[in-house]
Amino acid sequence: MSEHAEPKFKPADDPTFSLPSSLASLQLPLLGGGLVALIIGVAMGFAAESEDMPRFGFSTYLTAYMYVLTLSLGSLFFVLIQHLVRAGWSVVIRRIAECFMILLVPLAILFLPILFSLFFEGRLFVWTDPNYASEHGLDSKMWENKQMFLNAPFFIGRAIFYFVVWGGLAVYYWRGSTNQDETGERAATDRMQYWSGPAVMAFSLTTSFAAFDWGMSLAPMWFSTMFGVYIFAGAILSAHCLITVVTYVLQRHGAIKDEVSVEHYHDLGKYIFGFVVFWTYISFSQYLLIWYGNIPEETEWFYARQRGLFGGLSLVLILLHWLVPFLGTMSRHVRRRPGLMACWAVYILVMHAVDIYWIIMPEARHLVHGNIPSMGGAVGLIASVLSIVGMTALFVGLGLRVASGNRVIAVRDPRLRESIVFENF
C-alpha cells in the first residue's frame, strides 16, 4: 500500500512548478558573493605560494573548478542515463539535473584561467616547464614521447573538444526538455532517448580524457587507467546528492510538494548508497593495484598522499567518505526520511570537495622525492576553502538563474504521470 497521499495532477502553468521567489531572490547575492569569495580565495592562494609550494595559486583555482565541474558532469550523466533506460521514476526530479548540466556552457568560460596558466612555465602543469625533464633526470626519449600528448597546443585543442561535446549534449537535452514543456511533443522524448546511447559513449570518452588531462597530468610521470573512472564515480555520487538537496530545498519553499514523494527520496538514497560503495571500490582497486605492482613511477603519487597532513587526510577519506556514509545511508528508514537524506547529501558533497582537494593540492609542491607536501598553513587552508565556497556559490547562483526562467519540473513529459505515482516495492 502506498505510504503517501493520492497524487494530484496539476496543469502545466501551476505556480508550484516555478522557482519560488524566496529562492530566486538569492541569485544576485550568490553570484556576487561567490565571485568575491573566489577572487579573495585565489588571491590568498597566490599569496601562500613559496619556494616549496610554487603552484599553490593556480592549484587552488583548479581544485574549486574541478569540484563544480564534476557536479555539472554528474548531472549531465544523470540526464543521459535516465533517457537511455527509459526511466519513469525520475521525471519529477530530472529538470533539477538539467538546470545544472546546462552550466557546462558557462563553465567553459571559467576554464580560461586554467588555460591561461599554460603561459606560465610550470606554474600549474609541470610539463609546461622546458627544464622539467633535465632537472628530474628523466630519460630524454621517454619525455619526448610524453610530450607528444602533453603539449600546450594539443592540450588546448582537447579542452575545446571536451567542452564542445559536453556543451553540445547539454544544450541538445536542455532544449529538447524545455521545448517539450511548451509543445507537449512526445517525439522529443523519443529523439532524446534515441541519441542517449551515443551520448553516453561520447560522455565517457571525453570525461576520462579530461580527468587524465586536468588531474592526472599534474604528476606527468604517474599513470592510472582507473583515474577517469575514479573521477566519474565522485561526479555521479555528488550529482545524486546535489539533486537530493535541491529537491528538498525546493519542497521546503513550496515547489513540487505533491509531485516528489518519499518514494523518490528512497530511490535517490539507494543510488547515493550504491555510488558510495562504487567510489570506494574504484578508490581501493586503484590503490591496491598500484601497491601490488610497486612500480616507482606509480607509487610516488600515493606516497606523497601518505605523508604529513595529507596522510591524515587520506585516513579521513577512508573513514568519512566511505565508512560513515556507508553506514548512514544503508537503512531503508533513513532513505525514506527526506530531511535525513538531505543532511547526508550535504555531508557527502563536503567530503567530495575534500576528495578533489586531496587529488590536486599535493601536486602544488616541488616534485622532489621525499618532499612532504604542505597545505600552505592557515592562509593556504583558508584560501582553498574560500575558493571552493566561492565557486560553489557562483555555480548555485547560475543554477538559480537558469531555473528562474524555466519550470523546475518537466511538465509535459509523457512519463510524468508514471513518475508521480511511482512507488518502491
Side-chain angles (χ1 to χ4, degrees):
M1 182 179 293
S2 173
E3 295 184 16
H4 53 86
E6 187 68 23
K8 301 176 182 178
F9 301 101
K10 302 172 184 174
D13 59 352
D14 191 277
T16 62
F17 293 159
S18 299
L19 184 71
S21 58
S22 55
L23 294 178
S25 64
L26 297 177
Q27 294 176 52
L28 288 180
L30 284 171
L31 289 171
L35 183 60
V36 170
L38 177 62
I39 292 172
I40 294 174
V42 173
M44 290 179 67
F46 279 103
E49 288 186 351
S50 65
E51 205 172 305
D52 293 329
M53 301 285 286
R55 289 174 285 280
F56 204 91
F58 279 118
S59 297
T60 299
Y61 183 85
L62 179 62
T63 300
Y65 181 83
M66 288 297 291
Y67 177 65
V68 298
L69 179 68
T70 53
L71 295 178
S72 196
L73 286 174
S75 298
L76 174 60
F77 183 79
F78 180 88
V79 172
L80 296 179
I81 207 69
Q82 302 312 308
H83 284 292
L84 181 64
V85 302
R86 304 182 185 183
W89 75 272
S90 60
V91 170
V92 292
I93 58 174
R94 197 188 66 225
R95 178 58 53 80
I96 295 169
E98 291 170 348
C99 286
F100 288 108
M101 77 172 183
I102 197 63
L103 298 186
L104 285 164
V105 176
L107 282 175
I109 299 172
L110 290 174
F111 188 74
L112 291 176
I114 298 171
L115 292 182
F116 184 67
S117 72
L118 299 177
F119 296 99
F120 298 88
E121 296 174 349
R123 289 296 300 277
L124 178 58
F125 299 101
V126 293
W127 47 263
T128 60
D129 182 356
N131 300 317
Y132 176 76
S134 59
E135 289 178 356
H136 291 81
L138 302 180
D139 179 78
S140 59
K141 183 63 177 177
M142 176 186 63
W143 187 245
E144 184 180 330
N145 291 334
K146 279 271 186 181
Q147 289 199 304
M148 292 175 64
F149 188 81
L150 296 177
N151 61 80
F154 195 21
F155 181 92
I156 294 171
R158 291 195 303 272
I160 293 172
F161 177 73
Y162 303 150
F163 280 109
V164 167
V165 172
W166 297 336
L169 291 175
V171 169
Y172 177 78
Y173 280 88
W174 171 258
R175 286 181 175 173
S177 181
T178 53
N179 287 344
Q180 191 179 55
D181 287 350
E182 308 303 326
T183 65
E185 182 189 14
R186 183 183 178 86
T189 296
D190 296 332
R191 287 194 298 270
M192 289 187 285
Q193 179 185 304
Y194 177 82
W195 289 109
S196 60
V200 167
M201 289 187 284
F203 172 90
S204 302
L205 182 66
T206 50
T207 301
S208 293
F209 273 90
F212 297 155
D213 282 355
W214 307 337
M216 195 164 68
S217 79
L218 292 168
M221 298 309 297
W222 182 68
F223 50 89
S224 168
T225 56
M226 300 181 72
F227 189 77
V229 185
Y230 177 62
I231 295 297
F232 163 78
I236 191 61
L237 169 61
S238 60
H240 280 90
C241 292
L242 178 66
I243 294 166
T244 301
V245 172
V246 173
T247 301
Y248 183 73
V249 171
L250 284 172
Q251 289 196 301
R252 292 283 291 180
H253 286 79
I256 56 176
K257 293 191 72 171
D258 298 317
E259 289 69 35
V260 180
S261 69
V262 168
E263 309 297 334
H264 300 96
Y265 285 101
H266 189 178
D267 256 23
L268 283 168
K270 287 188 287 187
Y271 280 109
I272 289 172
F273 174 76
F275 279 105
V276 165
V277 175
F278 181 63
W279 176 88
T280 306
Y281 167 73
I282 295 299
S283 304
F284 177 72
S285 298
Q286 180 174 249
Y287 177 82
L288 180 65
L289 292 173
I290 289 175
W291 172 82
Y292 184 80
N294 200 27
I295 301 171
E297 289 85 354
E298 296 181 354
T299 56
E300 174 67 24
W301 195 83
F302 280 105
Y303 180 70
R305 288 158 179 79
Q306 291 179 351
R307 309 189 69 201
L309 292 174
F310 281 99
L313 200 58
S314 299
L315 296 177
V316 166
L317 287 172
I318 294 171
L319 294 174
L320 302 186
H321 198 319
W322 165 58
L323 186 60
V324 171
F326 174 81
L327 297 174
T329 59
M330 181 187 295
S331 171
R332 184 178 189 271
H333 172 80
V334 173
R335 296 175 194 166
R336 298 184 71 80
R337 298 295 184 274
L340 280 178
M341 278 312 306
C343 289
W344 277 114
V346 170
Y347 171 84
I348 294 171
L349 285 170
V350 172
M351 294 314 301
H352 178 58
V354 174
D355 185 34
I356 297 295
Y357 178 88
W358 179 83
I359 291 169
I360 293 173
M361 291 309 294
E363 302 307 323
R365 74 194 194 286
H366 262 310
L367 300 179
V368 179
H369 181 73
N371 187 26
I372 299 177
S374 167
M375 293 183 178
V379 173
L381 282 173
I382 294 172
S384 299
V385 171
L386 267 180
S387 298
I388 293 173
V389 170
M391 186 73 83
T392 303
L394 199 59
F395 180 74
V396 174
L398 289 170
L400 291 176
R401 183 75 174 173
V402 170
S404 64
N406 298 276
R407 297 177 179 90
V408 295
I409 189 172
V411 293
R412 288 197 171 95
D413 189 287
R415 298 192 182 98
L416 178 60
R417 180 175 292 266
E418 175 189 347
S419 183
I420 293 174
V421 302
F422 166 73
E423 290 185 54
N424 279 279
F425 293 98

